[in-house]
Amino acid sequence: MKKTIFSLSLLSAALIAATPAWADPAKVIRIGVASVGTGGRPVVGGSSAGTAALRGLLEEEFKKDGVKVEWHYFKGAGPAVNEALANKLLDFAWQGDLPAIVGKAGGLKTKILLANGTLGTTYLAVPADSPVKKLEDLKGKKVALFKGTNGQLVVNKVLDQYGLTEKDFKLINMDTATTDAAMATKDVDGAWYSANVFTLVDRGVARIVWSNKEGPLSLTRQTHFLVTEDFEKANPEFTQRVVNVLVKTSADISKPENADKVLQEWAKSGTPYASYKRDYGGGADIKRRSSPLLDEFFYNHYRDAVQASLKFKFIRKDFDVNQWFEPKYVNQALKEQKLENFWTAYDAKGNPKGGK
């Protein structure tokens, strides 16, 4: 199993020797991950892709073919993954909605294969002894945000609901590790977080003043697994097998009896088990948030995300989400594994349509 942490300098060096893995029957499958664990460790939680990497499941799937599987983790998150995709350094990628939309609008030729970590949470935290009580109290103050990630899209939607914009704050672009340090030293007045916020809350460093846990589904973050058009056209069988493994993994981590084991595995990322447990409702939310379904809710979310990205000027060019999604692989995987009704499908508004 090869795992690499990519920085921009490494990316430039790799570009020199880059050879498309799909030029002939693929000998290497290169997967980009738009995140890193604490301290830059090549481990992430919160998705079947993260679990598949932890367990070496894709490596096992392609071992008999002599095909290597490489996982590349990007400190620069989704924007850095886009750069690697543009330079043909990746075949697949796990990333959030906003960076993928920016990449697609900018001309990246990709296909979304399946949902892979949905209904993600977002929290606004302040130093524990801060007088701030609510979002509006942070107007004009320094607030950390990892720009270019799917969190930025959610934040702009939230601000819009409050009649605010990014310009109402002194927003500082920081990655997760830098944000943690800035919160501890009180160099920022607030920061936007995901599940890792509980690490600071439990240490008494921060407290939460807003979250989307009880809010509308439209304010949640979505992530997916995509493939480049070049790789998919040259290697449809391999693409199907990758999706098969991820769907099987999604089913495994969705079983209630496996919740504790899954959260323990994800904690290897550096986000504590207790943080994941609180973020995932004690483990009860894992199945819902691990659904691979490209259902009406997922399609509609991305259509709305494209329009929101235009509104907030993250992109300048509209495109058809229907042409971006390629559902045949996940549908085939669900059929072969008899999982068509395992997860609840949701309509465009997020209402359950069926399933268990």
Side-chain angles (χ1 to χ4, degrees), residues 207-225:
R207 59 182 172 81
I208 297 168
V209 295
W210 184 93
S211 86
N212 63 353
K213 289 221 54 165
E214 306 301 328
L217 297 182
S218 61
L219 295 182
T220 57
R221 294 180 292 111
Q222 319 303 324
T223 53
H224 55 260
F225 200 81

Side-chain angles (χ1 to χ4, degrees), residues 21 37 40 55 60 70 90 113 137 165 179 182 199 223 231 259 281 308 339 348:
R55 298 178 181 176
E60 187 64 29
E70 296 180 353
L90 299 174
L113 296 171
D137 295 340
T165 72
T179 299
T199 307
T223 53
F231 187 91
L339 294 170

Side-chain angles (χ1 to χ4, degrees), residues 4-5 36 41 53 68 70 87 93 98 101 130 148 156 169 172 174 187 216 247 325 329:
T4 304
I5 302 294
V36 296
R41 68 186 75 176
K68 294 181 181 178
E70 296 180 353
N87 289 317
L98 177 58
I101 286 169
S130 169
N156 274 264
F169 307 85
I172 305 172
M174 291 183 178
D187 286 326
V247 169
F325 283 32
Y329 296 103

Side-chain angles (χ1 to χ4, degrees), residues 262-320:
V262 170
L263 297 181
Q264 292 284 5
E265 287 179 329
W266 290 353
K268 295 177 181 177
S269 67
T271 296
Y273 164 83
S275 297
Y276 278 122
K277 192 163 186 177
R278 292 175 69 177
D279 188 58
Y280 279 81
D285 295 342
I286 293 179
K287 181 177 182 180
R288 188 181 186 196
R289 291 169 61 178
S290 298
S291 168
L293 301 183
L294 297 178
D295 55 16
E296 291 176 16
F297 169 76
F298 206 75
Y299 269 86
N300 194 58
H301 172 86
Y302 275 70
R303 292 188 193 101
D304 286 347
V306 169
Q307 296 311 306
S309 297
L310 286 164
K311 175 181 179 179
F312 301 131
K313 303 187 185 307
F314 297 138
I315 61 174
R316 296 181 178 179
K317 181 182 177 182
D318 197 0
F319 61 89
D320 185 358

